Amino acid sequence: MRVWHGLDEVPTDIESVATIGIFDGVHRGHQKILTTAVRDAQRLGVLSVAVTFDPHPAVVHRPEGIELIMPLSDRLGQIAALGVDAVLVVNYDLKLASLTPYDFVQKFFVDGLGVAEVVVGEDMRFGRNNAGTVETLHELGDRFGFDVTEIVDVESFEGRRWSSTWVRQALAAGDVTLANRILGRNYRLRGRVEHGFKRGRQLGFPTANLNSRGVGFVPADGVYAGLIVRQIPEAPACEMLPAAISVGTNPQFDGEVRTVEAHVLGRSDLNLYGEDIAVDFVARIRPMQQFDSVEELLERMDEDLLEAARVLGAPPTGRIAPEAVTAK
């Protein structure tokens, strides 16, 4: 998939079917829009192009910003997996936000991408003050000579439309099972493994401490079953390691910093320090708790390992002897 960072990188003779959106999370609703654009582009013999923005408009317009579901690199990877030919990443700033719907369509869709068709969701808004609607796009399509395909919101069994907001709400509640259903895949958090306090190793649960600040939405505090995903050096494949994941401040030890720590079930031979890895959240086992004693905590952690193995279909495992851990 080609990635263009600005209109100056787009070929001058392009013809396309385009769609537009932030696509944060690339959830099931986004997938329907993107795959429709791919299908129609193939039918017309032109390129399928997704127009997206970086940074997120909310970061520009609201001081508090927004906690993104995934970084731009993951967004592009998920869009590419759907067969989209190219993505135009547009720098979002106040100058762009000031464009009228007419000027935006002419600049990006007509002059920039040579659109034969634009595919959008029914709730799309664009242009200054979000004044442009699907109806506006239809009117401009008639004027400039391109078709508009409107995708009616795809709804879940609950009757609620798939949305990035719903994903964030589910993650904030620790309901990664629901988040995964909205996304159509496991929720993934990326980060670099860094040194921690090594308490887990001393207790028999060595962990990879993930520096995930600023690269994704950290789910609610608790213990989860999931997977550590490692890129195999000089190979396109990934290694998927079943894991028990802890999110929180370690209240048993009066911790103050919120961390994400993953224990690979049954493995003492891993040295992940300094690696960029991903953690896939599969299911929540329990909320974060403070126990009356360390012994009670250890008993519960033993249960957590067995439950994580059960959820993941992995062999049951127990604690790791501290002296067996090879990572320094």
Side-chain angles (χ1 to χ4, degrees), residues 169-193:
Q169 290 172 346
L171 292 174
D175 193 348
V176 295
T177 302
L178 174 59
N180 294 346
R181 189 153 61 84
I182 302 167
L183 292 169
R185 63 184 183 280
N186 291 333
Y187 175 65
R188 176 168 292 182
L189 190 66
R190 292 190 183 275
R192 177 162 292 182
V193 179

Side-chain angles (χ1 to χ4, degrees), residues 7 38 40 50 68-69 71 94 97 102 107 123 126 136 142 157 185 194 202 225 250 257-258 276 294 302 315:
L7 286 174
V38 170
D40 290 358
L68 295 177
I69 298 168
L94 294 178
Y102 179 97
K107 179 176 181 177
D123 65 337
F126 67 101
T136 309
D142 291 340
F157 291 118
R185 63 184 183 280
E194 58 185 18
Q202 297 163 8
N250 292 312
V257 179
R258 194 163 182 249
D276 292 315
V294 173
D302 287 335

Side-chain angles (χ1 to χ4, degrees), residues 188-317:
R188 176 168 292 182
L189 190 66
R190 292 190 183 275
R192 177 162 292 182
V193 179
E194 58 185 18
H195 288 274
F197 293 104
K198 295 184 172 62
R199 292 196 190 101
R201 175 189 302 195
Q202 297 163 8
L203 297 174
F205 305 92
T207 60
N209 300 278
L210 195 70
N211 183 344
S212 60
R213 292 180 288 277
V215 294
F217 194 114
V218 178
D221 291 0
V223 177
Y224 298 83
L227 301 165
I228 282 184
V229 185
R230 299 177 73 193
Q231 183 69 46
I232 299 176
E234 300 180 358
C238 289
E239 184 179 23
M240 312 287 282
L241 303 170
I245 306 160
S246 172
V247 178
T249 59
N250 292 312
Q252 196 73 32
F253 301 98
D254 299 320
E256 297 180 353
V257 179
R258 194 163 182 249
T259 61
V260 178
E261 304 176 59
H263 167 71
V264 179
L265 303 182
R267 295 287 295 271
S268 62
D269 60 329
L270 292 170
N271 187 349
L272 302 176
Y273 290 128
E275 281 194 33
D276 292 315
I277 66 170
V279 174
D280 282 7
F281 290 81
V282 175
R284 194 184 197 197
I285 295 175
R286 62 173 175 87
M288 188 58 65
Q289 297 170 258
Q290 184 169 359
F291 297 88
D292 293 335
S293 66
V294 173
E295 289 72 23
E296 188 178 343
L297 167 65
L298 291 174
E299 290 178 4
R300 182 55 210 244
M301 291 175 73
D302 287 335
E303 295 175 13
D304 294 339
L305 292 188
L306 293 174
E307 178 62 11
R310 186 194 67 79
V311 169
L312 299 169
T317 60

Side-chain angles (χ1 to χ4, degrees), residues 123-142:
D123 65 337
M124 74 91 63
R125 304 299 291 262
F126 67 101
R128 184 190 303 161
N129 298 322
N130 279 334
T133 64
V134 175
E135 290 72 25
T136 309
L137 197 58
H138 277 288
E139 294 170 2
L140 294 172
D142 291 340

